[in-house]
Amino acid sequence: MSDLLKRLESNLGKKAKSVSSTKRRRYSITVEPENIVDVAKTLSEVSGGRFMTSTCVDEGLDFSIMHHFDIGGEVVTLGSSIPKENPQLPSIAPVVPAAQWIEREITDLFGVRFEGHPQQEGIIANESWTGQTPPLQKPREGRVVPEYRGAVENVIALGAVVPLSSFTKKKREESGLPSTTITLEDEKALGEVHEVIKRSKADQRAGFDWKKKKLRYK
Amino acid sequence: MKGYALFLGCNIPIRYPCTEIATRRVFKEFDISLADMKGYTCCPDPVVTRLADAEMSYVLSARNLSLAEEKGLNVMTVCNGCQETLLEANEALKSDRDLRNRVNQILSEYGREYKGTIDVKHAVEVLHEDVGISKIKERANTLRFKAANHYGCHIFRTKEENEDPWRIPNMMKDLVDATGVEFVEYGLERLCCGYPPLLADPKLALEERLLPKLKGIEKAQARCVVVSCPACMIQFESGQVKLKEMGAGKLPVIHVLELLGLAMGMKPEELHLEFHRSPVMELAKEVSG
Protein backbone atom coordinates (compact mmCIF):
# COMPACT_ATOMS: atom_id res chain seq x y z
CA MET A 1 0.00 0.00 0.00
CA SER A 2 1.41 3.42 -0.95
CA ASP A 3 2.11 6.07 1.65
CA LEU A 4 -0.54 8.36 0.21
CA LEU A 5 -3.19 5.64 0.35
CA LYS A 6 -2.34 4.97 3.99
CA ARG A 7 -2.49 8.70 4.79
CA LEU A 8 -5.81 9.13 3.01
CA GLU A 9 -7.37 6.22 4.87
CA SER A 10 -6.05 7.50 8.16
CA ASN A 11 -7.11 11.13 7.57
CA LEU A 12 -10.56 10.37 6.22
CA GLY A 13 -11.64 7.53 8.51
CA LYS A 14 -15.33 6.70 8.27
CA LYS A 15 -16.14 9.78 6.21
CA ALA A 16 -15.09 7.84 3.11
CA LYS A 17 -17.14 4.92 1.76
CA SER A 18 -14.09 3.61 -0.06
CA VAL A 19 -10.48 4.63 -0.71
CA SER A 20 -8.59 2.77 -3.41
CA SER A 21 -5.79 2.96 -5.89
CA THR A 22 -7.20 2.73 -9.42
CA LYS A 23 -3.90 2.72 -11.29
CA ARG A 24 -0.38 4.09 -10.92
CA ARG A 25 -0.52 7.49 -9.17
CA ARG A 26 -4.32 7.59 -9.35
CA TYR A 27 -6.57 7.25 -6.31
CA SER A 28 -10.30 7.18 -5.90
CA ILE A 29 -12.34 8.19 -2.86
CA THR A 30 -16.09 7.73 -2.81
CA VAL A 31 -18.30 9.44 -0.24
CA GLU A 32 -21.94 9.97 0.59
CA PRO A 33 -23.06 13.46 -0.57
CA GLU A 34 -23.31 14.75 3.02
CA ASN A 35 -19.59 14.08 3.60
CA ILE A 36 -18.23 15.61 0.40
CA VAL A 37 -17.44 19.03 1.91
CA ASP A 38 -15.61 17.64 4.96
CA VAL A 39 -13.55 15.29 2.82
CA ALA A 40 -12.73 18.02 0.27
CA LYS A 41 -11.63 20.25 3.15
CA THR A 42 -9.38 17.48 4.52
CA LEU A 43 -7.84 16.84 1.11
CA SER A 44 -7.18 20.53 0.64
CA GLU A 45 -6.09 21.59 4.12
CA VAL A 46 -4.68 18.44 5.77
CA SER A 47 -3.34 16.48 2.81
CA GLY A 48 -2.06 19.56 0.98
CA GLY A 49 -4.11 18.91 -2.13
CA ARG A 50 -4.32 21.37 -5.01
CA PHE A 51 -7.78 21.46 -6.59
CA MET A 52 -7.50 20.67 -10.32
CA THR A 53 -11.04 20.48 -11.73
CA SER A 54 -14.36 18.66 -11.47
CA THR A 55 -16.23 16.40 -13.86
CA CYS A 56 -19.84 15.29 -14.08
CA VAL A 57 -21.02 12.13 -15.83
CA ASP A 58 -24.67 11.48 -16.65
CA GLU A 59 -24.99 7.77 -15.79
CA GLY A 60 -28.60 7.50 -16.95
CA LEU A 61 -30.32 7.41 -13.57
CA ASP A 62 -27.72 9.23 -11.50
CA PHE A 63 -25.05 11.88 -11.88
CA SER A 64 -21.52 11.06 -10.81
CA ILE A 65 -19.69 14.18 -9.62
CA MET A 66 -15.91 13.93 -9.30
CA HIS A 67 -13.57 16.52 -7.82
CA HIS A 68 -9.91 15.99 -8.75
CA PHE A 69 -7.00 16.99 -6.51
CA ASP A 70 -3.25 16.91 -7.10
CA ILE A 71 -1.44 15.77 -3.98
CA GLY A 72 2.33 15.79 -4.47
CA GLY A 73 2.05 14.88 -8.15
CA GLU A 74 -0.53 12.14 -7.62
CA VAL A 75 -4.18 12.50 -8.66
CA VAL A 76 -6.87 11.90 -6.08
CA THR A 77 -10.48 11.86 -7.28
CA LEU A 78 -13.24 12.51 -4.77
CA GLY A 79 -16.54 11.20 -6.11
CA SER A 80 -20.16 11.03 -5.11
CA SER A 81 -23.37 9.94 -6.82
CA ILE A 82 -26.70 11.78 -6.73
CA PRO A 83 -30.10 10.76 -8.16
CA LYS A 84 -31.35 12.65 -11.19
CA GLU A 85 -34.77 13.00 -9.59
CA ASN A 86 -33.20 15.42 -7.08
CA PRO A 87 -29.82 16.51 -8.46
CA GLN A 88 -28.42 18.39 -5.45
CA LEU A 89 -24.98 18.17 -3.88
CA PRO A 90 -23.29 20.32 -1.23
CA SER A 91 -20.91 22.78 -2.87
CA ILE A 92 -17.22 22.44 -2.01
CA ALA A 93 -16.62 26.04 -3.17
CA PRO A 94 -16.88 27.53 0.38
CA VAL A 95 -13.88 25.39 1.45
CA VAL A 96 -12.16 25.09 -1.95
CA PRO A 97 -12.72 28.46 -3.68
CA ALA A 98 -11.09 27.27 -6.92
CA ALA A 99 -14.12 25.00 -7.47
CA GLN A 100 -16.49 27.96 -7.88
CA TRP A 101 -16.48 28.24 -11.67
CA ILE A 102 -16.48 24.54 -12.53
CA GLU A 103 -19.44 23.89 -10.21
CA ARG A 104 -21.32 26.71 -11.98
CA GLU A 105 -20.44 25.16 -15.35
CA ILE A 106 -21.80 21.79 -14.19
CA THR A 107 -24.98 23.53 -13.06
CA ASP A 108 -25.37 25.15 -16.48
CA LEU A 109 -24.60 22.01 -18.49
CA PHE A 110 -26.18 19.23 -16.42
CA GLY A 111 -28.63 20.96 -14.08
CA VAL A 112 -26.88 19.78 -10.88
CA ARG A 113 -27.51 22.25 -8.03
CA PHE A 114 -24.64 22.90 -5.63
CA GLU A 115 -26.09 23.82 -2.25
CA GLY A 116 -24.21 26.55 -0.41
CA HIS A 117 -22.39 27.82 -3.52
CA PRO A 118 -21.53 31.51 -2.91
CA GLN A 119 -22.54 32.62 -6.43
CA GLN A 120 -25.42 30.57 -7.81
CA GLU A 121 -25.77 32.03 -11.29
CA GLY A 122 -25.02 30.93 -14.84
CA ILE A 123 -21.54 31.11 -16.24
CA ILE A 124 -21.40 29.31 -19.57
CA ALA A 125 -24.82 28.61 -21.08
CA ASN A 126 -26.62 31.21 -23.13
CA GLU A 127 -29.57 32.85 -21.36
CA SER A 128 -31.91 31.28 -23.92
CA TRP A 129 -31.30 27.89 -22.20
CA THR A 130 -33.18 29.07 -19.13
CA GLY A 131 -36.10 26.78 -18.37
CA GLN A 132 -34.99 24.10 -20.77
CA THR A 133 -33.33 20.77 -20.13
CA PRO A 134 -29.63 21.51 -19.61
CA PRO A 135 -27.67 20.74 -22.81
CA LEU A 136 -25.65 17.77 -21.51
CA GLN A 137 -28.40 16.17 -19.45
CA LYS A 138 -29.71 12.94 -21.00
CA PRO A 139 -33.20 11.49 -20.42
CA ARG A 140 -33.53 9.50 -17.19
CA GLU A 141 -33.08 5.92 -18.39
CA GLY A 142 -32.06 2.59 -16.86
CA ARG A 143 -30.85 -0.69 -18.29
CA VAL A 144 -34.20 -2.50 -18.52
CA VAL A 145 -35.86 -2.06 -21.92
CA PRO A 146 -39.42 -0.62 -21.84
CA GLU A 147 -41.10 -3.88 -22.85
CA TYR A 148 -39.64 -5.80 -19.89
CA ARG A 149 -40.04 -3.20 -17.14
CA GLY A 150 -43.34 -4.48 -15.73
CA ALA A 151 -42.07 -8.05 -15.43
CA VAL A 152 -38.80 -6.97 -13.79
CA GLU A 153 -40.69 -4.74 -11.32
CA ASN A 154 -42.91 -7.68 -10.37
CA VAL A 155 -40.01 -10.09 -9.90
CA ILE A 156 -38.20 -7.64 -7.60
CA ALA A 157 -41.30 -6.44 -5.72
CA LEU A 158 -43.23 -9.72 -5.48
CA GLY A 159 -40.84 -12.51 -6.36
CA ALA A 160 -43.28 -13.41 -9.15
CA VAL A 161 -43.87 -12.20 -12.69
CA VAL A 162 -47.57 -11.60 -12.10
CA PRO A 163 -49.55 -10.72 -8.96
CA LEU A 164 -52.21 -13.02 -7.49
CA SER A 165 -55.68 -11.53 -8.01
CA SER A 166 -58.35 -11.72 -5.32
CA PHE A 167 -60.53 -13.59 -7.86
CA THR A 168 -57.95 -16.34 -8.33
CA LYS A 169 -57.28 -16.50 -4.60
CA LYS A 170 -60.99 -17.07 -3.99
CA LYS A 171 -61.22 -19.64 -6.78
CA ARG A 172 -58.22 -21.50 -5.40
CA GLU A 173 -59.93 -21.74 -2.02
CA GLU A 174 -63.16 -22.91 -3.64
CA SER A 175 -61.35 -25.63 -5.55
CA GLY A 176 -59.67 -26.94 -2.40
CA LEU A 177 -56.13 -25.96 -3.29
CA PRO A 178 -53.76 -25.02 -0.47
CA SER A 179 -52.58 -21.42 -0.19
CA THR A 180 -49.90 -20.91 -2.77
CA THR A 181 -46.43 -21.12 -1.25
CA ILE A 182 -44.89 -18.59 -3.62
CA THR A 183 -43.52 -15.45 -1.94
CA LEU A 184 -46.69 -13.53 -2.85
CA GLU A 185 -48.42 -15.12 0.11
CA ASP A 186 -45.49 -15.27 2.50
CA GLU A 187 -44.30 -11.96 3.95
CA LYS A 188 -41.29 -13.45 5.72
CA ALA A 189 -40.04 -15.17 2.58
CA LEU A 190 -40.70 -12.07 0.49
CA GLY A 191 -38.68 -9.99 2.98
CA GLU A 192 -35.80 -12.44 2.64
CA VAL A 193 -36.00 -12.27 -1.15
CA HIS A 194 -35.90 -8.47 -1.04
CA GLU A 195 -32.75 -8.60 1.08
CA VAL A 196 -31.17 -11.18 -1.25
CA ILE A 197 -31.91 -8.94 -4.23
CA LYS A 198 -30.42 -5.92 -2.43
CA ARG A 199 -27.30 -7.89 -1.51
CA SER A 200 -26.85 -8.94 -5.14
CA LYS A 201 -27.23 -5.23 -6.04
CA ALA A 202 -29.68 -6.18 -8.79
CA ASP A 203 -32.05 -3.47 -7.53
CA GLN A 204 -29.38 -0.82 -8.05
CA ARG A 205 -28.43 -2.12 -11.48
CA ALA A 206 -32.08 -2.15 -12.55
CA GLY A 207 -32.76 1.24 -10.91
CA PHE A 208 -35.52 0.03 -8.58
CA ASP A 209 -37.22 2.42 -6.15
CA TRP A 210 -38.17 0.40 -3.06
CA LYS A 211 -40.54 3.07 -1.71
CA LYS A 212 -42.61 3.19 -4.88
CA LYS A 213 -42.01 -0.50 -5.76
CA LYS A 214 -41.31 0.67 -9.28
CA LEU A 215 -38.36 1.27 -11.54
CA ARG A 216 -37.11 4.86 -11.45
CA TYR A 217 -37.91 5.31 -15.15
CA LYS A 218 -40.94 4.71 -17.34
CA MET B 1 -43.13 -43.91 -2.35
CA LYS B 2 -40.97 -41.63 -4.45
CA GLY B 3 -41.02 -37.91 -3.87
CA TYR B 4 -40.15 -34.59 -5.42
CA ALA B 5 -40.12 -30.95 -4.41
CA LEU B 6 -42.92 -29.44 -6.48
CA PHE B 7 -41.89 -26.25 -8.25
CA LEU B 8 -45.08 -24.72 -9.64
CA GLY B 9 -43.60 -21.41 -10.81
CA CYS B 10 -45.74 -18.27 -11.12
CA ASN B 11 -48.19 -18.92 -13.90
CA ILE B 12 -49.70 -22.19 -12.71
CA PRO B 13 -50.82 -21.20 -9.20
CA ILE B 14 -51.78 -17.70 -10.30
CA ARG B 15 -53.34 -18.23 -13.73
CA TYR B 16 -53.90 -21.97 -14.11
CA PRO B 17 -54.85 -23.56 -10.77
CA CYS B 18 -56.53 -26.27 -12.91
CA THR B 19 -53.08 -27.50 -13.94
CA GLU B 20 -52.01 -27.50 -10.28
CA ILE B 21 -55.05 -29.59 -9.33
CA ALA B 22 -54.34 -32.06 -12.14
CA THR B 23 -50.66 -32.29 -11.17
CA ARG B 24 -51.36 -32.98 -7.51
CA ARG B 25 -54.03 -35.58 -8.30
CA VAL B 26 -52.21 -37.42 -11.09
CA PHE B 27 -49.04 -37.84 -9.03
CA LYS B 28 -51.01 -38.94 -5.98
CA GLU B 29 -52.66 -41.63 -8.11
CA PHE B 30 -49.22 -42.88 -9.09
CA ASP B 31 -47.92 -42.83 -5.51
CA ILE B 32 -45.40 -40.08 -6.06
CA SER B 33 -45.40 -37.55 -3.24
CA LEU B 34 -44.98 -33.87 -4.02
CA ALA B 35 -43.64 -31.57 -1.31
CA ASP B 36 -44.51 -27.88 -1.53
CA MET B 37 -41.60 -25.46 -1.55
CA LYS B 38 -42.48 -22.83 1.02
CA GLY B 39 -41.42 -19.31 0.13
CA TYR B 40 -40.19 -19.96 -3.40
CA THR B 41 -39.98 -17.18 -5.99
CA CYS B 42 -40.34 -16.95 -9.74
CA CYS B 43 -37.73 -19.37 -11.19
CA PRO B 44 -36.99 -16.52 -12.45
CA ASP B 45 -38.29 -16.51 -15.99
CA PRO B 46 -35.78 -17.56 -18.63
CA VAL B 47 -36.18 -14.56 -20.93
CA VAL B 48 -36.89 -11.25 -19.19
CA THR B 49 -35.11 -11.58 -15.85
CA ARG B 50 -32.09 -13.37 -17.23
CA LEU B 51 -31.62 -10.72 -19.89
CA ALA B 52 -32.23 -7.89 -17.43
CA ASP B 53 -29.86 -9.18 -14.74
CA ALA B 54 -28.14 -12.56 -15.00
CA GLU B 55 -26.62 -12.32 -11.52
CA MET B 56 -30.02 -11.78 -9.88
CA SER B 57 -31.39 -14.64 -11.96
CA TYR B 58 -28.72 -17.02 -10.62
CA VAL B 59 -29.20 -15.86 -7.03
CA LEU B 60 -32.97 -16.42 -7.15
CA SER B 61 -32.61 -19.79 -8.90
CA ALA B 62 -30.02 -20.91 -6.35
CA ARG B 63 -32.32 -19.88 -3.52
CA ASN B 64 -35.18 -21.88 -5.06
CA LEU B 65 -32.93 -24.92 -5.53
CA SER B 66 -31.69 -24.61 -1.94
CA LEU B 67 -35.30 -24.87 -0.70
CA ALA B 68 -35.54 -28.29 -2.37
CA GLU B 69 -32.09 -29.28 -1.13
CA GLU B 70 -33.23 -28.56 2.42
CA LYS B 71 -35.89 -31.23 1.89
CA GLY B 72 -33.38 -33.62 0.30
CA LEU B 73 -35.56 -33.87 -2.80
CA ASN B 74 -35.04 -33.40 -6.53
CA VAL B 75 -37.11 -30.62 -8.08
CA MET B 76 -40.05 -31.39 -10.36
CA THR B 77 -41.27 -28.62 -12.66
CA VAL B 78 -44.57 -28.37 -14.51
CA CYS B 79 -43.51 -25.54 -16.79
CA ASN B 80 -40.94 -25.55 -19.59
CA GLY B 81 -39.62 -22.11 -18.65
CA CYS B 82 -39.05 -23.10 -15.02
CA GLN B 83 -37.46 -26.32 -16.27
CA GLU B 84 -34.97 -24.51 -18.46
CA THR B 85 -34.12 -21.85 -15.89
CA LEU B 86 -33.61 -24.21 -12.98
CA LEU B 87 -31.86 -26.89 -15.07
CA GLU B 88 -29.42 -24.39 -16.55
CA ALA B 89 -28.85 -22.56 -13.27
CA ASN B 90 -28.25 -25.89 -11.52
CA GLU B 91 -25.66 -26.89 -14.10
CA ALA B 92 -23.97 -23.47 -14.11
CA LEU B 93 -23.83 -23.35 -10.31
CA LYS B 94 -22.47 -26.90 -10.10
CA SER B 95 -19.71 -26.27 -12.63
CA ASP B 96 -18.71 -22.63 -11.91
CA ARG B 97 -17.12 -22.40 -8.47
CA ASP B 98 -16.77 -18.60 -8.54
CA LEU B 99 -20.45 -18.14 -9.36
CA ARG B 100 -21.44 -20.63 -6.65
CA ASN B 101 -19.27 -18.85 -4.08
CA ARG B 102 -20.68 -15.44 -4.98
CA VAL B 103 -24.23 -16.72 -4.75
CA ASN B 104 -23.62 -18.60 -1.50
CA GLN B 105 -22.04 -15.56 0.08
CA ILE B 106 -25.37 -13.79 -0.36
CA LEU B 107 -27.55 -16.77 0.61
CA SER B 108 -25.49 -17.60 3.70
CA GLU B 109 -26.62 -14.36 5.37
CA TYR B 110 -30.11 -15.83 5.42
CA GLY B 111 -29.03 -19.28 6.59
CA ARG B 112 -29.22 -20.86 3.15
CA GLU B 113 -26.72 -22.63 0.99
CA TYR B 114 -26.79 -23.99 -2.54
CA LYS B 115 -24.90 -27.28 -2.38
CA GLY B 116 -25.45 -28.71 -5.86
CA THR B 117 -26.82 -32.02 -4.59
CA ILE B 118 -30.08 -32.33 -6.50
CA ASP B 119 -31.41 -32.64 -10.04
CA VAL B 120 -34.22 -30.85 -11.85
CA LYS B 121 -36.80 -32.85 -13.81
CA HIS B 122 -39.90 -31.93 -15.79
CA ALA B 123 -43.15 -33.68 -14.78
CA VAL B 124 -43.19 -35.35 -18.21
CA GLU B 125 -39.79 -36.93 -17.46
CA VAL B 126 -40.85 -38.02 -13.99
CA LEU B 127 -43.97 -39.75 -15.28
CA HIS B 128 -42.09 -41.43 -18.11
CA GLU B 129 -39.13 -42.58 -16.03
CA ASP B 130 -40.57 -43.17 -12.56
CA VAL B 131 -44.03 -44.47 -13.43
CA GLY B 132 -43.50 -45.87 -16.93
CA ILE B 133 -45.64 -45.70 -20.04
CA SER B 134 -47.10 -49.18 -19.69
CA LYS B 135 -48.46 -48.44 -16.21
CA ILE B 136 -49.83 -45.09 -17.37
CA LYS B 137 -51.46 -46.74 -20.37
CA GLU B 138 -53.15 -49.28 -18.09
CA ARG B 139 -54.74 -46.44 -16.13
CA ALA B 140 -55.32 -43.83 -18.78
CA ASN B 141 -56.05 -45.36 -22.18
CA THR B 142 -59.60 -44.03 -22.36
CA LEU B 143 -59.72 -41.04 -24.70
CA ARG B 144 -60.65 -41.30 -28.37
CA PHE B 145 -60.10 -38.09 -30.31
CA LYS B 146 -57.42 -36.35 -32.36
CA ALA B 147 -54.96 -33.95 -30.73
CA ALA B 148 -51.87 -32.04 -31.80
CA ASN B 149 -48.83 -31.47 -29.60
CA HIS B 150 -47.00 -28.24 -29.00
CA TYR B 151 -43.87 -29.15 -27.05
CA GLY B 152 -42.56 -25.63 -26.36
CA CYS B 153 -39.01 -24.47 -27.09
CA HIS B 154 -37.59 -24.62 -23.57
CA ILE B 155 -38.28 -28.32 -23.18
CA PHE B 156 -35.73 -29.01 -25.91
CA ARG B 157 -32.92 -27.79 -23.64
CA THR B 158 -30.58 -30.62 -22.76
CA LYS B 159 -28.52 -31.29 -19.66
CA GLU B 160 -25.72 -33.15 -21.41
CA GLU B 161 -23.89 -31.85 -24.47
CA ASN B 162 -24.63 -34.89 -26.65
CA GLU B 163 -28.13 -35.50 -25.36
CA ASP B 164 -30.94 -35.84 -27.92
CA PRO B 165 -32.99 -32.61 -27.71
CA TRP B 166 -36.09 -34.65 -28.54
CA ARG B 167 -35.67 -36.80 -25.40
CA ILE B 168 -38.38 -35.06 -23.33
CA PRO B 169 -40.63 -34.07 -26.29
CA ASN B 170 -40.68 -37.74 -27.32
CA MET B 171 -41.66 -38.64 -23.76
CA MET B 172 -44.55 -36.18 -24.06
CA LYS B 173 -45.62 -37.88 -27.30
CA ASP B 174 -45.65 -41.21 -25.44
CA LEU B 175 -47.74 -39.75 -22.62
CA VAL B 176 -50.32 -38.32 -25.01
CA ASP B 177 -50.39 -41.63 -26.87
CA ALA B 178 -50.91 -43.48 -23.58
CA THR B 179 -54.20 -41.62 -23.02
CA GLY B 180 -55.60 -43.16 -26.22
CA VAL B 181 -55.65 -39.81 -27.99
CA GLU B 182 -54.75 -40.01 -31.67
CA PHE B 183 -51.69 -37.83 -32.06
CA VAL B 184 -51.70 -35.84 -35.35
CA GLU B 185 -48.76 -34.06 -36.91
CA TYR B 186 -49.06 -30.60 -38.49
CA GLY B 187 -45.47 -29.92 -39.51
CA LEU B 188 -44.83 -26.86 -37.32
CA GLU B 189 -44.38 -28.58 -33.98
CA ARG B 190 -40.92 -27.10 -33.54
CA LEU B 191 -42.04 -23.48 -34.20
CA CYS B 192 -42.13 -21.24 -31.12
CA CYS B 193 -45.64 -20.31 -29.93
CA GLY B 194 -44.54 -16.67 -29.78
CA TYR B 195 -44.78 -16.10 -26.03
CA PRO B 196 -41.17 -15.00 -25.41
CA PRO B 197 -41.13 -12.29 -28.12
CA LEU B 198 -44.68 -11.15 -27.29
CA LEU B 199 -43.58 -8.18 -25.18
CA ALA B 200 -40.93 -7.06 -27.65
CA ASP B 201 -42.74 -7.67 -30.96
CA PRO B 202 -46.44 -8.60 -30.66
CA LYS B 203 -46.99 -8.69 -34.44
CA LEU B 204 -44.23 -11.23 -34.99
CA ALA B 205 -45.29 -13.22 -31.92
CA LEU B 206 -48.91 -13.49 -33.00
CA GLU B 207 -48.96 -13.37 -36.79
CA GLU B 208 -45.68 -15.10 -37.62
CA ARG B 209 -45.49 -17.61 -34.79
CA LEU B 210 -48.89 -18.46 -33.34
CA LEU B 211 -51.14 -18.00 -36.38
CA PRO B 212 -49.31 -20.48 -38.68
CA LYS B 213 -49.41 -23.05 -35.90
CA LEU B 214 -53.13 -22.56 -35.32
CA LYS B 215 -53.84 -22.91 -39.03
CA GLY B 216 -51.68 -26.05 -39.25
CA ILE B 217 -53.42 -27.63 -36.28
CA GLU B 218 -56.85 -26.80 -37.73
CA LYS B 219 -55.85 -28.33 -41.07
CA ALA B 220 -54.69 -31.50 -39.32
CA GLN B 221 -58.20 -31.70 -37.81
CA ALA B 222 -57.00 -31.88 -34.23
CA ARG B 223 -59.69 -31.26 -31.60
CA CYS B 224 -57.19 -29.59 -29.28
CA VAL B 225 -53.54 -28.78 -28.76
CA VAL B 226 -51.65 -30.37 -25.88
CA VAL B 227 -48.90 -28.36 -24.18
CA SER B 228 -46.49 -28.92 -21.30
CA CYS B 229 -45.94 -25.27 -20.41
CA PRO B 230 -48.31 -22.64 -18.94
CA ALA B 231 -46.63 -19.82 -20.85
CA CYS B 232 -47.39 -21.56 -24.15
CA MET B 233 -50.92 -22.11 -22.81
CA ILE B 234 -51.33 -18.37 -22.16
CA GLN B 235 -50.04 -17.55 -25.63
CA PHE B 236 -52.32 -20.07 -27.38
CA GLU B 237 -55.40 -19.05 -25.40
CA SER B 238 -54.98 -15.26 -25.33
CA GLY B 239 -53.45 -15.21 -28.80
CA GLN B 240 -56.52 -16.83 -30.36
CA VAL B 241 -58.67 -14.03 -28.98
CA LYS B 242 -56.29 -11.40 -30.37
CA LEU B 243 -56.15 -13.18 -33.75
CA LYS B 244 -59.91 -13.63 -34.07
CA GLU B 245 -60.13 -11.16 -36.95
CA MET B 246 -57.43 -13.06 -38.79
CA GLY B 247 -59.38 -16.27 -38.75
CA ALA B 248 -58.29 -17.89 -35.50
CA GLY B 249 -60.96 -20.11 -34.02
CA LYS B 250 -61.50 -21.47 -30.55
CA LEU B 251 -59.06 -24.33 -30.26
CA PRO B 252 -59.01 -25.90 -26.79
CA VAL B 253 -55.54 -25.75 -25.24
CA ILE B 254 -54.85 -28.32 -22.55
CA HIS B 255 -51.86 -29.12 -20.37
CA VAL B 256 -50.61 -32.69 -20.71
CA LEU B 257 -51.25 -33.30 -16.98
CA GLU B 258 -54.86 -32.16 -17.34
CA LEU B 259 -55.23 -34.51 -20.31
CA LEU B 260 -53.85 -37.35 -18.19
CA GLY B 261 -56.20 -36.45 -15.35
CA LEU B 262 -59.19 -36.61 -17.68
CA ALA B 263 -57.97 -39.87 -19.16
CA MET B 264 -57.66 -41.31 -15.65
CA GLY B 265 -61.31 -40.51 -14.95
CA MET B 266 -61.10 -37.18 -13.16
CA LYS B 267 -64.17 -35.04 -13.78
CA PRO B 268 -63.72 -31.78 -15.72
CA GLU B 269 -65.48 -29.90 -12.90
CA GLU B 270 -63.15 -31.39 -10.29
CA LEU B 271 -60.19 -30.23 -12.32
CA HIS B 272 -61.74 -26.75 -12.52
CA LEU B 273 -61.04 -26.47 -16.21
CA GLU B 274 -63.10 -23.27 -16.24
CA PHE B 275 -59.84 -21.43 -15.56
CA HIS B 276 -59.01 -21.86 -19.24
CA ARG B 277 -59.83 -19.10 -21.71
CA SER B 278 -60.31 -21.65 -24.48
CA PRO B 279 -63.19 -24.18 -24.54
CA VAL B 280 -61.33 -26.95 -22.68
CA MET B 281 -64.26 -27.54 -20.32
CA GLU B 282 -66.62 -28.13 -23.25
CA LEU B 283 -64.25 -30.57 -24.92
CA ALA B 284 -63.51 -32.34 -21.65
CA LYS B 285 -67.21 -32.82 -20.86
CA GLU B 286 -67.82 -34.19 -24.35
CA VAL B 287 -64.90 -36.64 -24.44
CA SER B 288 -64.99 -37.83 -20.86
CA GLY B 289 -68.62 -38.77 -21.08
Side-chain angles (χ1 to χ4, degrees), chain A residues 91 93-94 99-104 114-121:
Chain A
S91 166
Q100 277 194 33
W101 280 21
I102 187 67
E103 284 190 345
R104 286 168 64 191
F114 288 94
E115 297 165 296
H117 193 288
Q119 194 180 357
Q120 289 179 341
E121 57 189 71

Side-chain angles (χ1 to χ4, degrees), chain B residues 121-139:
Chain B
K121 292 173 91 171
H122 194 285
V124 166
E125 259 181 298
V126 175
L127 285 167
H128 204 279
E129 291 176 346
D130 293 11
V131 180
I133 288 300
S134 56
K135 193 172 171 186
I136 294 169
K137 208 165 189 170
E138 273 172 31
R139 293 287 312 278

Side-chain angles (χ1 to χ4, degrees), chain A residues 159 172 181 183 192 199 205, chain B residues 20 39 42 53 63 109 112:
Chain A
R172 284 183 62 87
T181 54
T183 42
E192 179 190 316
R199 284 277 290 120
R205 290 191 292 272
Chain B
E20 183 177 338
C42 177
D53 199 303
R63 183 181 170 278
E109 295 197 12
R112 303 199 187 282

Side-chain angles (χ1 to χ4, degrees), chain B residues 81-199:
Chain B
C82 300
Q83 173 66 17
E84 181 190 87
T85 300
L86 295 179
L87 180 81
E88 290 192 354
N90 201 29
E91 294 310 305
L93 289 159
K94 278 182 184 176
S95 60
D96 184 339
R97 196 196 305 170
D98 288 344
L99 174 65
R100 191 168 64 243
N101 288 344
R102 280 202 311 276
V103 162
N104 274 334
Q105 207 168 5
I106 295 170
L107 295 183
S108 65
E109 295 197 12
Y110 309 97
R112 303 199 187 282
E113 183 187 3
Y114 167 84
K115 298 188 183 81
T117 54
I118 57 164
D119 285 326
V120 178
K121 292 173 91 171
H122 194 285
V124 166
E125 259 181 298
V126 175
L127 285 167
H128 204 279
E129 291 176 346
D130 293 11
V131 180
I133 288 300
S134 56
K135 193 172 171 186
I136 294 169
K137 208 165 189 170
E138 273 172 31
R139 293 287 312 278
N141 187 8
T142 62
L143 301 176
R144 299 291 178 265
F145 62 90
K146 287 182 180 178
N149 278 354
H150 167 72
Y151 306 104
C153 305
H154 300 285
I155 209 170
F156 286 86
R157 291 287 189 270
T158 58
K159 187 175 158 187
E160 309 293 340
E161 202 175 322
N162 297 320
E163 191 180 312
D164 177 9
W166 278 90
R167 188 178 70 87
I168 306 180
N170 280 335
M171 290 177 175
M172 185 172 146
K173 264 189 205 175
D174 291 343
L175 285 183
V176 173
D177 183 64
T179 64
V181 160
E182 185 188 338
F183 161 72
V184 296
E185 292 192 341
Y186 56 100
L188 293 173
E189 282 82 355
R190 199 61 185 83
L191 186 68
C192 171
C193 67
Y195 184 81
L198 186 65
L199 290 172

